[in-house]
Amino acid sequence: MLEKIAVYPGTFDPVTLGHLDIVERAIPIFDRVIVAVAKDTGGKPTLFSIEERIQMLKDVTMNYPKTEVHGFSGLLITYVKEVNACTILRGLRAISDFEHEFQMASINKRLNSSVETLFMMTNESYFFLSSSSVKEIAALGCNLKGFVPELVEKQIKKKLF
Ligand code: COA
């Protein structure tokens, strides 16, 4: 039987509890979940380097079964085939995510029709959450409890202050 491998791609600048919620819910569904951290962010500036984003994800998923964290560059669909994955996993937060996600899923389907994109509704506790809002809240001196793991909060504060 072929292994069912999901790739969960993103910029993860930084990883939030919303992202981790998606990974945790994917674990029972797949044989392996690969969290794929994008090196090329399409011009979007990042607070953390690719190495830092990968390391934070490795630290916070250390005790997760069947989960790996890797960086990737270039086209997502090429990476997905390289690792023999059958599914691209994405979290959907609000209706505003839909158009962008629909476009990405359609392009990826056109590039390789054997790969499916699977959307998971983000847990309602994280519906409002984004990496940008986390960085903004931190820059204004508020605590990030309930938004990001403690380790990530420390890394953000170290970067900003
Ligand atoms: N909980 C909390 N936040 C979430 C979330 C969740 N479940 N899901 C997404 N987000 C947030 C992210 O934190 C991020 O916030 P920010 O914009 O404030 O930084 C935002 O939603 C966007 O998510 P991100 O995961 O960074 O996705 P993206 O839309 O920037 O796409 C890739 C990233 C890597 C999937 C995409 O750029 C890609 O595929 N790149 C490779 C090149 C390629 O193949 N291009 C063609 C694609 S069609």
Side-chain angles (χ1 to χ4, degrees), residues 131-148:
S131 299
S132 308
S133 57
V134 160
K135 288 178 277 190
E136 197 177 329
I137 295 163
L140 295 170
C142 295
N143 93 52
L144 297 176
K145 197 170 161 50
F147 299 157
V148 295

Side-chain angles (χ1 to χ4, degrees), residues 24-157:
E24 284 167 17
R25 285 159 54 206
I27 290 169
I29 303 174
F30 294 96
D31 298 314
R32 274 163 69 202
V33 177
I34 299 178
V35 183
V37 186
K39 287 185 188 161
D40 306 320
T41 52
K44 190 160 106 174
T46 59
L47 178 65
F48 293 99
S49 68
I50 178 70
E51 292 80 14
E52 290 169 328
R53 285 179 279 137
I54 293 174
Q55 192 55 54
M56 276 188 283
L57 263 157
K58 282 189 172 168
D59 291 341
V60 297
T61 59
M62 198 165 54
N63 296 321
Y64 287 19
K66 304 191 277 179
T67 307
E68 296 160 36
V69 180
H70 298 290
F72 79 98
S73 51
L75 268 184
L76 172 63
I77 201 77
T78 309
Y79 177 74
V80 169
K81 286 319 286 177
E82 265 168 28
V83 295
N84 288 321
C86 54
T87 306
I88 296 169
L89 180 66
R90 295 286 290 170
L92 266 188
R93 291 165 303 168
I95 295 168
S96 52
D97 279 348
F98 182 78
E99 201 174 326
H100 175 59
E101 293 297 335
F102 185 74
Q103 189 187 22
M104 283 205 300
S106 307
I107 294 172
N108 286 326
K109 191 77 184 164
R110 178 64 69 89
L111 294 174
N112 190 323
S113 61
S114 69
V115 175
E116 290 295 341
T117 300
L118 179 78
F119 295 104
M120 267 190 188
M121 293 295 289
T122 297
N123 185 311
E124 60 180 8
S125 324
Y126 307 122
F127 235 60
F128 55 92
L129 201 55
S130 75
S131 299
S132 308
S133 57
V134 160
K135 288 178 277 190
E136 197 177 329
I137 295 163
L140 295 170
C142 295
N143 93 52
L144 297 176
K145 197 170 161 50
F147 299 157
V148 295
E150 235 176 87
L151 175 149
V152 173
E153 177 165 8
K154 282 191 189 133
Q155 295 298 321
I156 298 177
K157 293 202 166 142

